C-alpha cells in the first residue's frame, strides 16, 4: 500500500498517459473558456460587438499600425481560439496565436512586469505555451483525427 502511495506521488507519468491526457483536457478547456470569456473583447458590451474603443486605444499606444485591425485580430484570436482550445480542434494553431497575443500583452503592454496587472497575461502566456508544446492530448478532436489517420495509413 505504501508503495502505491509513493508511486502516485513521486513516480511522474510512467505508464500513466491517461492522466496526462486528462490533465491536458482540463488545461485546454479552462484556458479556452477563460480566453473566450474573461477579457470580453469580442462579445457584445454596451451593445457593441468586437473590441471596445479602450482596447483599440491601447493597441495604438503600443505602436501597432492599423490598431483597429490588430485589436480585432487579438479579440478574434482570444474568442475563437478559446473555443478551438475548448473542443481541442486546431489546438496548437489556436495556442500559437494566443501565445503571440498574451506575450504582447505581458511584455509590450505591461513592459514585462510579471505581477499585478500583467499577472493575468503572464498566466495565459504560460498556459497557452504549455498547450503549444504538449499538444492537445488524446481527449480532443485533434487526438481523434490523429488516431483515425493512423488507422487509415
Amino acid at each position: 500500500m505504501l508503495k502505491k502511495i509513493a508511486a502516485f506521488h513521486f513516480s511522474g507519468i510512467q505508464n500513466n498517459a491517461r492522466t496526462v491526457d486528462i490533465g491536458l483536457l482540463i488545461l485546454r478547456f479552462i484556458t479556452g473558456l477563460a480566453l473566450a470569456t474573461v477579457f470580453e473583447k469580442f462579445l457584445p458590451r454596451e451593445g457593441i460587438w468586437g473590441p471596445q474603443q479602450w482596447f483599440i486605444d491601447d493597441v495604438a499606444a503600443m505602436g501597432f499600425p492599423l490598431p483597429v485591425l490588430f485589436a480585432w485580430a487579438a479579440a478574434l484570436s482570444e474568442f475563437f481560439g478559446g473555443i478551438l482550445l475548448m473542443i481541442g480542434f486546431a489546438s496548437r494553431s489556436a495556442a500559437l496565436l494566443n501565445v503571440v497575443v498574451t506575450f504582447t500583452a505581458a511584455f509590450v503592454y505591461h513592459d514585462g512586469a510579471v505581477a499585478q496587472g500583467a499577472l493575468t497575461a503572464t498566466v495565459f502566456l504560460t498556459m497557452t505555451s504549455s498547450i503549444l508544446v504538449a499538444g492537445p492530448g488524446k481527449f480532443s478532436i485533434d487526438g481523434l483525427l490523429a488516431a483515425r489517420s493512423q488507422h487509415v495509413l
Side-chain angles (χ1 to χ4, degrees):
M1 181 64 153
L2 287 176
K3 282 187 176 183
K4 287 187 178 184
I5 292 171
F8 175 77
H9 289 287
F10 304 113
S11 68
I13 61 169
Q14 299 169 357
N15 299 321
N16 205 3
R18 181 162 293 176
T19 58
V20 172
D21 287 320
I22 292 169
L24 289 171
L25 169 65
I26 293 167
L27 174 65
R28 221 185 53 246
F29 188 83
I30 297 300
T31 302
L33 179 64
L35 280 169
T37 60
V38 166
F39 298 114
E40 300 177 5
K41 291 182 191 149
F42 178 74
L43 296 173
R45 194 179 205 184
E46 299 174 12
I48 300 170
W49 281 86
Q52 303 293 305
Q53 190 60 47
W54 64 267
F55 184 59
I56 295 168
D57 293 342
D58 285 347
V59 172
M62 285 186 277
F64 282 92
L66 305 170
V68 173
L69 177 70
F70 279 96
W72 269 100
L76 292 172
S77 173
E78 289 172 354
F79 184 75
F80 290 109
I83 291 171
L84 290 172
L85 288 174
M86 287 187 336
I87 64 174
F89 182 69
S91 302
R92 281 194 159 127
S93 298
L96 177 61
L97 289 172
N98 281 293
V99 163
V100 172
V101 169
T102 56
F103 179 89
T104 303
F107 292 101
V108 177
Y109 182 72
H110 292 288
D111 294 323
V114 179
Q116 295 171 320
L119 182 61
T120 304
T122 305
V123 168
F124 277 103
L125 174 59
T126 303
M127 294 186 325
T128 54
S129 295
S130 298
I131 295 166
L132 177 63
V133 170
K138 187 185 294 185
F139 303 124
S140 64
I141 294 174
D142 292 338
L144 292 172
L145 293 173
R148 178 177 278 176
S149 70
Q150 287 181 358
H151 292 303
V152 172
L153 298 176

